[in-house]
Amino acid sequence: MLMEVVISALLVGLIVVATLTGFDVVNRVTADQRRHNEASLLAAQSQEQLRSDPATTLDALESNPHVFTRTVGGTVFTITQTSKPVNSSGTATGCNATETKSKTSTNILITSTVTWPTLTAAKRPAVVQSSLITPPTGSALEVDVTNGAAPPTPVSGITAYAKYIPAEGGGQTTVEGTTGSEGCVVFSALPTTLATVEIAEKPGYVTTSGALKYPTKEWTIAPNITVHDPVTYAPGGRITAEFTYKGATVWEGHEVKSDTFVAYNSTLPAPSYQVGSTTFEYEAGGEERYTALTSKFGAVASTAAGVRYPAGDLFPFPGAWAVYAGDCTKNKTGAEAVAEGKVEAATTTVLKVPMSYVALNVYAGTQASPGALESTSYPVKITNPECEPPVVPNNALAASTAHLQVTSTTGHLEYPFQPFGKAALCVYSKTTKRTYRVSYTNTTAAGSSAKVYIGEPSVTEKEETRKTEEATAKATRETEEKTARTNWENEEKAKKITNTQRKEKEATQTTARKTAEAAEVTLRNERVSKEAEEVSKKEVTVASGQASC
Amino acid sequence: MLRVPRLRESARGEDGFTLIEVLVAMVTGIIVSGALFAILEVSMHQTSRVADVVQATQLGRTTMTHIVDELHSTCIASEVAPVQAGSTEKKLVFVNAYSEKAEIPSARKDEVVWNEATKTMTDYTYLSNGGTSPKFTYAATATPASGVLIGEHITQTENEKKEKVPIFQYFGYTTKSSTSPTAPSSTLNSTPFTATEKTPLSAENALQTASVLISFKEAPPSNITTRAFEATSQVTLAFSAPAAETPVEAEPCE
C-alpha cells in the first residue's frame, strides 16, 4: 500500500521534473536562437561598418584584428573584425612572398566574428559573416619578405612602410603593415604613382650584404596593378674560426693561434668578404660597423657580433662561405688554405681554419758569422703586401693589415702559425736601430723559413765603409802620384830632359793614370753592381737608423 | 452449514478498495491530470510563442531586406549623395535605380515612412520624369499613390537605457578609423546627423550621408509586442573602400 503511494509519488515527481527540464531546454534553445539572431545582426552591421574603412585600415586588420563589445538584451557580445587580402579568384591568399605575378588584382575579404559567453563556454562555433571589398580604383604595392633560402621561405613579423605623396595633393602619407605567415604586406589602392618602401630594422636581422637597415627603395606604381617589392631579410649568423695546423689545434705542444681570418661569399657585394678577429671595435651608432683588430692572438676568432646583431651579421646564404686566415682574398692561395661551411640563421658555425708556418731564426751575429740564436725579444711586424692598400671589408669601418708580435727568447716567432699567401716580415732592433726585412710566400702548410742576423750591417752602413776605404785609397794614390811627379821633375831639372822627351813622358803618365782611373771606375762599378746584385739576392734586407718597422 | 464458511472465504477474497485508497487514487489522478493539462497548456503557449517569434522574424526580415536592397542600389553614379534632405528619424528619402545599362536611363525616389500611429512601414515610390543621370527630376505623386505596405506592427526599439531608438539614423565619414575597444573599426562618425521631425536632415548633411542605420521592432500578426523581432541593419553607401588618405576625405558613393 505504502509502496504503491511512494511509487506513484515518484512517478509524479519524475514527470514534473521532466516537464520542467523540458521547459528549461525550450527556454535555453529559444534564448540561444535569440542570441544567434542578435549576433547575426551585429555581424552584418559590423560588415557594413567595415565598408567605410579605407583599404590601409583594412590591411592593418589582417595582422591586428579589431575587437570590441556590444551589450544587447543583457548579453555581452564580442565582435572581432578581421581582414585578409584575396586574389581575384577569391579563394587564394591575397599575397604570397614567394609568388611574384605582376598582375594580381587584390580584393579584401572582411570578416566579422561574433561570440558571447554562453556560446564560448559551450565551445560552439561563433557567428561569422564575411564579404569582399574592392579597393578603390588605384594601385597596390605588395612587399614580399623572404629569407633568401633555396627555396625561399616567407618571413613574418617584418614591418614595412610605404610613403607617398597623394596624387590629389597634400603632404607625405605613410602607411604601414607587418608581414604575416605568408611573409607579405599589401598596401591596397595607393593614390599615387610613386611610393617609397622602407623596412623597419628588426634586431638580429640582416640584409644579403650584412647591413642591419634594409635600403629604401622607390617604386613606380602602375594603375590597377600590384607592384611587387621583393625583400630578402633574415636573421644573421656568425662564423667562429678554430685555427688549426695540419688539422690539429695543438702542434708539437704549441697551441695554434692567430688573429684574423677572411669569410668570403661571392654573393656578397664587392669586396665580398668580412674579416673575423679575436677582438673588435664597433661603431657607436648607425650600422654599428666593426673594425677587426689585429695582433691579439687566440685559438679562436669570430666574425663580428654587435649589440644589434648579437648572433652575427653574416647572411645565411644557401651557398657555403669560404674561410681562410689572413686579411684579404689574396690569402687564399689554394684549397689547402680554405675551410668551407654554411652559415645558418641566428647560429654560430664553427670551422677549422688551416694555417701555414713560418720558421724564423734570429741570430745574434752576421751572415758570415751567425753565432747563437738570439735570446732577446724583438718586435716583429708582418703584413701581406698584396692586401695593400687595405680594402675595407663588407660592413666594416676600417681595415687593418699589420700584425704585430715579438720574437721569443729562443729566437723564433712567438706566433709562428701564419696565414697562407705572401707576407713581408720585419724585425726591429732598438739597440742597433736596424730593421731586418724578409719576404716569403706560404703556399703549403709547411710554409717558409727565414734567417735574420742582428749583427749584419745595413746596406748604408756597408756603403759608408766602402766610401771611407775608397777615399783612403785615393788619398794614398794621389800622394804617391804627387811624390812620383816631384821626383820626376827633379830628375828633369837635373838631367835636362828635352821637351819632346818630357811630353812623351807626360803622355805616358797621363795614359797610365787614365788607365788606372778607368780600371778603378770599372772595379768600382763592378763592385757596386755586384753589391746591388747581392742585395737583390739576399733573403734579408737590413736598414739602419730606423725608429721601428 | 457447510456453505457459509465457503461464502465467507469467497467474500474475503473479493474485498474492495477502502475509502482512503479511493481518495488517494482520485487525488493522485487529479494531480496527474492537472499536470498533464498544465503541460499541454504551456506547450501550446510555447508553440504559439515560437510560431509568433518565427513569423515576426520572417516579417521583420522581409521589411528590412526591402529597405536594405533599395539602399544598396542607391549609388547610381560616382560621388552622388543618394539620401535626400528632409529625411527624418521616421522617414527615409533616397534615390535608387535598377538598370542593365552602364548609364542609368531612369531612377526613382523612395520614401520609406514609419507611421507611429498605425505602426506601419510604407514605401512610397516617385518615378523619374525628366532630367539626366544622375540628376533626375521626379514625379510629385507616388506610384501607387497609397505606397506599398512593407511592414505592420512596427515599433521603435529601445536601447540599454530604455530610450527609444530612431528608426533611421544617418552617418557621415569622419577623418580617421576608430580604434576604440567599445566601437567597431569604422571610419563612420559615431554620432549621427540630426534628423528629427522638427529638424529634418539638412541639405548639407544629406550630401555627407554615407551610411544609414535602420532599427525597428516588428511584432507578429497577433500583435503581442513581447514576441516582436528586433531588426537592426546598416548600409554603407559606397562602391569600394575609401582611398587610403590621411585624413580620410571620403564622400558617399566613392
Side-chain angles (χ1 to χ4, degrees):
Chain A
M1 177 66 185
L2 183 61
M3 284 299 291
E4 290 163 346
V5 171
V6 169
I7 289 168
S8 299
L10 277 173
L11 280 172
V12 170
L14 276 173
I15 290 165
V16 169
V17 168
T19 307
L20 291 176
T21 307
F23 290 157
D24 186 51
V25 168
V26 169
N27 275 334
R28 280 169 188 267
V29 169
T30 308
D32 189 59
Q33 280 181 339
R34 194 173 63 245
R35 287 183 188 125
H36 268 90
N37 260 332
E38 286 295 349
S40 179
L41 290 171
L42 288 171
Q45 196 176 355
S46 157
Q47 289 281 291
E48 287 296 320
Q49 285 159 338
L50 280 172
R51 288 186 172 278
S52 70
D53 273 337
T56 46
T57 304
L58 296 174
D59 285 341
L61 289 177
E62 186 189 9
S63 56
N64 188 20
H66 182 71
V67 181
F68 68 102
T69 55
R70 274 279 162 82
T71 305
V72 180
T75 304
V76 178
F77 292 91
T78 303
I79 302 152
T80 307
Q81 296 174 309
T82 58
S83 75
K84 191 169 75 172
V86 291
N87 279 338
S88 50
S89 63
T91 52
T93 307
C95 74
N96 189 310
T98 54
E99 177 268 335
T100 53
K101 285 179 186 172
S102 61
K103 291 184 179 180
T104 44
S105 168
T106 305
N107 298 317
I108 302 166
L109 179 73
I110 51 170
T111 303
S112 301
T113 306
V114 185
T115 58
W116 57 97
T118 51
L119 184 91
T120 311
K123 294 180 180 174
R124 294 174 61 201
V127 173
V128 181
Q129 282 196 22
S130 296
S131 59
L132 279 180
I133 292 183
T134 313
T137 305
S139 310
L141 174 66
E142 181 178 323
V143 180
D144 300 318
V145 186
T146 58
N147 66 351
T153 307
V155 179
S156 61
I158 304 296
T159 302
Y161 303 95
K163 296 181 177 180
Y164 60 90
I165 306 287
E168 292 176 355
Q172 180 176 271
T173 301
T174 303
V175 288
E176 70 171 271
T178 303
T179 59
S181 58
E182 295 292 341
C184 53
V185 175
V186 176
F187 298 111
S188 307
L190 298 178
T192 184
T193 55
L194 205 66
T196 303
V197 176
E198 281 184 24
I199 304 296
E201 185 184 319
K202 188 168 184 178
Y205 277 64
V206 294
T207 67
T208 49
S209 69
L212 307 181
K213 180 88 179 80
Y214 202 87
T216 300
K217 280 189 279 186
E218 196 171 73
W219 290 94
T220 302
I221 310 295
N224 300 317
I225 287 177
T226 299
V227 176
H228 291 259
D229 175 14
V231 170
T232 308
Y233 205 36
R238 198 179 185 198
I239 290 176
T240 289
E242 204 173 71
F243 297 112
T244 60
Y245 183 69
K246 294 184 177 177
T249 54
V250 177
W251 181 257
E252 294 181 349
H254 297 285
E255 196 174 16
V256 182
K257 289 183 177 180
S258 189
D259 52 355
T260 58
F261 69 93
V262 173
Y264 176 87
N265 195 304
S266 59
T267 322
L268 279 175
S272 308
Y273 67 88
Q274 292 208 24
V275 171
S277 177
T278 51
T279 46
F280 288 94
E281 275 181 2
Y282 292 98
E283 187 182 24
E287 279 282 314
E288 210 180 322
R289 288 178 295 171
Y290 65 88
T291 301
L293 301 179
T294 57
S295 313
K296 300 281 183 188
F297 292 82
V300 293
S302 296
T303 53
V307 175
R308 278 149 63 202
Y309 52 101
D313 65 345
L314 301 184
F315 190 83
F317 291 112
W321 288 70
V323 178
Y324 40 89
D327 304 309
C328 72
T329 52
K330 296 292 181 184
N331 287 106
K332 184 186 174 186
T333 56
E336 197 181 357
V338 183
E340 285 192 341
K342 278 187 181 180
V343 170
E344 303 291 342
T347 305
T348 299
T349 304
V350 180
L351 296 173
K352 289 186 184 298
V353 175
M355 300 296 295
S356 184
Y357 192 89
V358 173
L360 176 71
N361 291 330
V362 182
Y363 294 97
T366 62
Q367 194 169 359
S369 174
L373 286 167
E374 261 288 14
S375 58
T376 308
S377 182
Y378 294 99
V380 178
K381 179 181 173 183
I382 301 174
T383 53
N384 184 340
E386 290 187 320
C387 294
E388 298 288 343
V391 174
V392 178
N394 290 80
N395 305 311
L397 194 61
S400 176
T401 57
H403 304 263
L404 306 177
Q405 59 165 302
V406 292
T407 57
S408 65
T409 51
T410 54
H412 306 297
L413 282 177
E414 190 177 11
Y415 301 107
F417 302 102
Q418 291 295 314
F420 287 80
K422 285 189 176 176
L425 185 149
C426 174
V427 179
Y428 177 68
S429 169
K430 196 178 175 183
T431 314
T432 61
K433 296 191 185 305
R434 288 176 188 152
T435 57
Y436 307 87
R437 296 176 189 277
V438 60
S439 297
Y440 60 82
T441 304
N442 289 338
T443 52
T444 62
S448 316
S449 62
K451 292 172 182 172
V452 167
Y453 306 94
I454 297 297
E456 186 75 16
S458 70
V459 174
T460 316
E461 287 170 334
K462 285 179 181 174
E463 180 70 15
E464 280 172 1
T465 306
R466 183 181 58 76
K467 279 179 181 173
T468 307
E469 285 172 355
E470 277 180 1
T472 308
K474 192 178 177 183
T476 307
R477 179 172 53 76
E478 281 174 355
T479 307
E480 284 173 354
E481 278 178 1
K482 196 176 177 183
T483 308
R485 188 176 179 83
T486 307
N487 290 339
W488 182 77
E489 280 174 356
N490 291 336
E491 276 178 25
E492 193 181 51
K493 284 177 183 173
K495 292 177 181 175
K496 296 187 180 196
I497 294 170
T498 61
N499 281 340
T500 310
Q501 284 175 322
R502 190 177 66 244
K503 282 177 184 175
E504 282 176 358
K505 180 82 175 176
E506 280 176 356
T508 307
Q509 284 177 339
T510 304
T511 307
R513 190 171 67 247
K514 281 181 180 175
T515 307
E517 282 175 356
E520 207 171 273
V521 167
T522 307
L523 274 172
R524 189 168 65 232
N525 288 342
E526 278 177 1
R527 190 167 66 233
V528 167
S529 65
K530 198 178 177 183
E531 278 177 2
E533 200 179 330
E534 279 177 0
V535 165
S536 67
K537 280 182 179 177
K538 265 183 184 172
E539 265 191 337
V540 182
T541 305
V542 184
S544 57
Q546 305 295 307
S548 69
C549 279
Chain B
M1 286 299 284
L2 286 171
R3 294 176 92 179
V4 172
R6 281 184 183 173
L7 281 171
R8 279 184 182 166
E9 284 173 11
S10 169
R12 198 175 297 141
E14 293 175 5
D15 283 349
F17 292 108
T18 64
L19 181 61
I20 298 297
E21 286 174 346
V22 170
L23 284 173
V24 167
M26 282 176 67
V27 168
T28 308
I30 288 166
I31 289 169
V32 170
S33 301
L36 286 173
F37 276 114
I39 290 167
L40 191 63
E41 172 63 20
V42 169
S43 297
M44 294 288 283
H45 178 79
Q46 282 291 87
T47 306
S48 163
R49 185 169 161 269
V50 170
D52 271 0
V53 168
V54 168
Q55 205 168 6
T57 304
Q58 285 178 339
L59 291 169
R61 282 198 186 281
T62 305
T63 305
M64 183 60 84
T65 304
H66 183 96
I67 301 167
V68 167
D69 278 357
E70 287 188 340
L71 280 171
H72 276 152
S73 305
T74 54
C75 289
I76 59 175
S78 180
E79 296 185 6
V80 299
V83 175
Q84 303 293 297
S87 295
T88 68
E89 58 187 345
K90 296 175 184 175
K91 182 175 75 175
L92 168 63
V93 187
F94 59 97
V95 171
N96 67 110
Y98 299 88
S99 175
E100 293 176 351
K101 295 179 180 177
E103 188 167 324
I104 294 165
S106 63
R108 46 188 267 186
K109 185 169 75 176
D110 280 80
E111 276 185 18
V112 180
V113 181
W114 175 61
N115 188 319
E116 191 171 4
T118 59
K119 296 180 181 176
T120 56
M121 189 86 84
T122 309
D123 184 4
Y124 297 93
T125 303
Y126 301 86
L127 301 173
S128 61
N129 57 7
T132 53
S133 179
K135 294 183 177 177
F136 294 100
T137 55
Y138 300 95
T141 312
T143 305
S146 58
V148 176
L149 185 69
I150 58 171
E152 290 181 294
H153 313 297
I154 290 175
T155 52
Q156 286 175 279
T157 56
E158 292 176 352
N159 62 18
E160 290 296 304
K161 296 175 184 172
K162 301 292 177 189
E163 295 165 338
K164 299 279 185 190
V165 175
I167 302 280
F168 303 112
Q169 294 181 79
Y170 309 92
F171 297 88
Y173 279 110
T174 183
T175 54
K176 196 179 176 186
S177 294
S178 160
T179 53
S180 165
T182 56
S185 172
S186 173
T187 314
L188 294 171
N189 204 326
S190 57
T191 308
F193 291 127
T194 302
T196 60
E197 287 203 271
K198 285 182 181 174
T199 313
L201 189 70
S202 67
E204 186 187 354
N205 287 343
L207 288 171
Q208 299 295 319
T209 298
S211 185
V212 181
L213 177 64
I214 310 134
S215 310
F216 59 81
K217 199 159 68 174
E218 184 154 347
S222 63
N223 201 17
I224 301 170
T225 52
T226 53
R227 297 174 184 178
F229 170 69
E230 284 194 15
T232 302
S233 192
Q234 188 161 1
V235 177
T236 299
L237 312 170
F239 282 117
S240 62
E245 299 164 340
T246 306
V248 175
E249 293 177 348
E251 291 179 348
C253 296
E254 274 198 348

